Amino acid sequence: MAAAAGLVAAAAAALGALLMAPGLTQPHGEGPPEGSGPGPRWGAVAERRPPGRMDQALLLVRNELPAQGLRLAALSSACHQCLYQFLAIIPPSNRSLRKLGTAAVMVDTQRPLTLLLNSSVGDRELCKIQYHFGEFGNYSLVVKTLSTSTKTVSCDLVINEGPINSYLPILFAFLVYMGILAILIVGRLFMKIDPVRNWVYKKLNPRETDRLINSELGSPNATDSVSSDPTPRLWSTASRQRLRSLDTFRGLSLIIMVFVNYGGGKYWFFKHESWNGLTVADLVFPWFVFIMGTSISLSLSSMLRWGSSKWKVLRKILWRSFLLILLGIIVVNPNYCLGPLSWDNLRIPGVLQRLGFTYLVVAALELLFTRAGAESGTLEMPCPALQDILPYWPQWIFILMLEVIWLCLTFLLPVPGCPRGYLGPGGIGDFGKYPNCTGGAAGYIDRLLLGEKHIYQHPSSSVIYQTTMPYDPEGILGTINTIFMAFLGLQAGKIILFYKDQHKHIMSRFFIWSIVMGIISAILTKCSKEEGFIPINKNLWSISYVTTMSCFAFILLLLIYYLVDVKRLWSGAPFFYPGMNSILVYIGHEVFENYFPFKWKMQDSQSHAEHLTQNLTATTLWVIISYLLYRRRIFWKI
């Protein structure tokens, strides 16, 4: 396995060489575009065009109408019920001077656009075009009269210079990592040959990790002690193996989180969705919360089984929660460069802060209402099929009460200047009716209790919806549903405890829970991105977002559990290693984000290829670091 780390490091270098090879970097389109039309006037416009930028294309608008100027506006398909945004005024043509009315604008290429051309006099709509422009492409929009008698106006979009394929770097990166995987699989097959295996073991002299310490958010081991008592006390005749699937699940979530936090190659689908809907970046945080809840169930069961008192466990829960919140406020903070204790602009909410508070509530809830004999099946229950639910009915009542509070505050709390129950982004959304209502009640509560300067200043909605109000996706109201997400993960842990070694029962329960959560999501959203009762929204942490993410989490945990712990077809590598040191990796990648070798000065900052190379290299380095720490049995827990 030590060779694997070196192999991955070499692959990262190879990946950089491949992605930065000639032909894969994005050209900036210097020089006049081909096919842009005759005449020195057009040539002059082409030479003066704005420099090419990533996720943009050049649009040259040619107005051949002699009597009227044009007004060009655009609307992104990602912007729901938005106002058109002004782009340019195109003057009328002057036939006597053989001078065309022209304008050059840069248009977004991430999502399809709707272009709207109106007459500058009278604001009469002339044409509307829907088109998905390609990155670094060069286009002409020719507006002319088809017939002088009818004065019918036509708008023709012409491709002067074809766009580049900005997704090629992803393909090359995929091929590189698949090559690594193939080499590792071949190496593992060779390791099954006795002479080869004996020679490798003799050279490496590996030491087996007999007892892995607890992960920092709760051990997924149902049997290992987490108390400080050095005297081992066996509660069963056979030592149970740690569930590698849980660390693998956590590590997978963490590695994707690190990658998207570093930038995800600057691709829009590796960034958070502007408002409603989902991207890859929106999946990982709730999964991390989910597996934290699963770990809480197993770790608390282990502590109590080993004889720790509830007061001792509670003190540990309080201390761990305090440390997470403290680390989030002081260390992992977007205003860290201004000084970690700069109160004027200190962001109070955050990822670790929400994790710490969620851990406190869910762990305390489990500790308070745990019942002796429940998980061993010795309690008599009216419905054995619900033995992992009925003994904990007070917990469910508490969680349902929290959801009622969330619903009441979200839909009934009066917000000045905003309609009740508003769930929109504000800005230019909802046709600009509520520009300062970003997040509705959730945003209002944060601004009221924390202050505008102490919450996130650049929410994802500011790009598409052009919102100006600060809004924090880790705010106060959304924490309620984060607790619910962790509680569903807690339920997954109870299933593992109640059905020890009964793999079919465990997997069937995971599948049933996934179906139930999926049905609830379908009802809440009406299977629509924008038109449901409660849309899926990561910024709000809406209830439909939680049910949808838990649906995916149960299915993903089922698959990983089956592959890693049941059939043992997969060791969980490489995600298992960062999953064992999740807090260290998370804090480390935030603190050292802007330092070499995780970041370097780019030759071309407008290249997806170079951004992807940098972000994948940084993420791969953290996997290697976590592997080396694992081999040396170094685990950071709090």
Side-chain angles (χ1 to χ4, degrees), residues 217-223 226 243 246 250 289-305 313 317 320 359 362-367 370 375 388 392 395 486-498:
L217 293 180
S219 170
N221 188 352
T223 62
V226 294
L243 290 175
L246 303 190
R250 182 190 293 115
V289 172
F290 180 90
I291 208 64
M292 180 182 74
T294 306
S295 300
I296 288 172
S297 177
L298 302 181
S299 63
L300 292 189
S301 172
S302 175
M303 282 189 275
L304 296 175
R305 194 188 301 275
V313 175
I317 291 171
R320 181 175 292 170
Y359 177 83
V362 175
L365 187 65
E366 174 69 1
L367 183 65
T370 187
E375 66 187 45
D388 56 333
Y392 301 97
Q395 295 180 350
F487 183 75
L488 292 171
L490 187 79
Q491 183 62 37
K494 291 174 182 175
I495 291 172
I496 295 173
L497 289 173
F498 274 89

Side-chain angles (χ1 to χ4, degrees), residues 70-368:
L70 303 175
R71 184 179 185 273
L72 177 66
L75 176 63
S76 171
S77 63
C79 202
H80 180 62
Q81 293 184 342
C82 289
L83 298 171
Y84 278 88
Q85 297 303 295
F86 169 77
L87 291 182
I89 291 289
I90 303 94
S93 64
N94 190 329
R95 293 190 181 279
S96 61
L97 298 177
R98 297 185 61 189
K99 179 181 179 181
L100 298 176
T102 60
V105 295
M106 304 302 296
V107 292
D108 183 69
T109 62
Q110 297 182 79
R111 309 287 182 94
L113 291 180
T114 300
L115 298 178
L116 178 65
L117 270 170
N118 288 352
S119 171
S120 59
V121 179
D123 204 29
R124 180 172 65 93
E125 181 178 320
L126 299 179
C127 58
K128 184 182 292 185
I129 300 175
Q130 291 183 335
Y131 194 78
H132 193 172
F133 294 92
E135 189 174 46
F136 293 106
N138 185 305
Y139 302 85
S140 290
L141 180 59
V142 182
V143 185
K144 59 185 177 180
T145 304
L146 288 179
S147 171
T148 55
S149 59
T150 61
K151 295 185 178 181
T152 303
V153 176
S154 73
C155 301
D156 299 322
L157 194 63
V158 181
I159 301 177
N160 302 323
E161 184 179 341
I164 68 163
N165 188 344
S166 60
Y167 303 114
L168 274 180
I170 297 179
L171 174 61
F172 275 82
F174 175 78
L175 293 176
V176 168
Y177 281 102
M178 287 302 99
I180 297 173
L181 178 62
I183 293 173
L184 292 177
I185 291 175
V186 171
R188 186 169 184 177
L189 292 176
F190 273 105
M191 286 295 290
K192 292 184 178 181
I193 303 175
D194 289 342
V196 175
R197 183 175 64 253
N198 293 336
W199 181 83
V200 172
Y201 282 174
K202 183 178 180 181
K203 291 293 183 182
L204 297 181
N205 190 26
R207 294 184 300 172
E208 291 295 325
T209 304
D210 298 326
R211 179 180 172 274
L212 300 178
I213 66 172
N214 300 288
S215 67
E216 56 286 340
L217 293 180
S219 170
N221 188 352
T223 62
D224 288 349
S225 169
V226 294
S227 67
S228 58
D229 188 355
T231 305
R233 290 177 285 176
L234 300 179
W235 65 275
S236 62
T237 56
S239 175
R240 294 172 55 82
Q241 294 295 320
R242 183 185 180 95
L243 290 175
R244 293 178 68 95
S245 56
L246 303 190
D247 288 309
T248 302
F249 188 106
R250 182 190 293 115
L252 173 63
S253 305
L254 178 62
I255 287 305
I256 300 176
M257 187 186 301
V258 170
F259 175 64
V260 299
N261 284 351
Y262 276 145
K266 299 298 181 180
Y267 291 100
W268 68 267
F269 42 81
F270 290 136
K271 300 176 184 177
H272 291 295
E273 185 61 86
S274 55
W275 199 247
N276 294 334
L278 291 174
T279 64
V280 175
D282 298 321
L283 304 177
V284 289
F285 187 25
W287 286 351
F288 197 88
V289 172
F290 180 90
I291 208 64
M292 180 182 74
T294 306
S295 300
I296 288 172
S297 177
L298 302 181
S299 63
L300 292 189
S301 172
S302 175
M303 282 189 275
L304 296 175
R305 194 188 301 275
W306 281 85
S308 297
S309 66
K310 286 192 174 183
W311 284 110
K312 182 178 180 180
V313 175
L314 180 60
R315 287 196 298 270
K316 188 168 186 177
I317 291 171
L318 292 171
W319 177 245
R320 181 175 292 170
S321 302
F322 170 75
L323 286 180
L324 282 172
I325 295 172
L326 188 66
L327 285 170
I329 292 177
I330 296 181
V331 180
V332 183
N333 199 295
N335 293 327
Y336 184 80
C337 58
L338 301 178
L341 298 179
S342 177
W343 177 252
D344 290 342
N345 298 287
L346 182 69
R347 182 192 177 196
I348 297 176
V351 171
L352 288 182
Q353 296 91 307
R354 180 170 283 192
L355 283 175
F357 187 77
T358 300
Y359 177 83
L360 173 63
V361 174
V362 175
L365 187 65
E366 174 69 1
L367 183 65
L368 180 63

Side-chain angles (χ1 to χ4, degrees), residues 245-246 249 290-291 492 510 553-561:
S245 56
L246 303 190
F249 188 106
F290 180 90
I291 208 64
F510 285 171
F554 275 112
I555 286 293
L556 184 58
L557 182 58
L558 186 158
L559 293 174
I560 296 177
Y561 177 76

Side-chain angles (χ1 to χ4, degrees), residues 17-48:
L18 274 173
L19 295 183
M20 295 307 298
L24 288 181
T25 54
Q26 280 82 342
H28 284 195
E30 291 82 356
E34 297 178 4
S36 58
R41 299 288 181 181
W42 267 116
V45 172
E47 291 172 0
R48 292 194 303 270

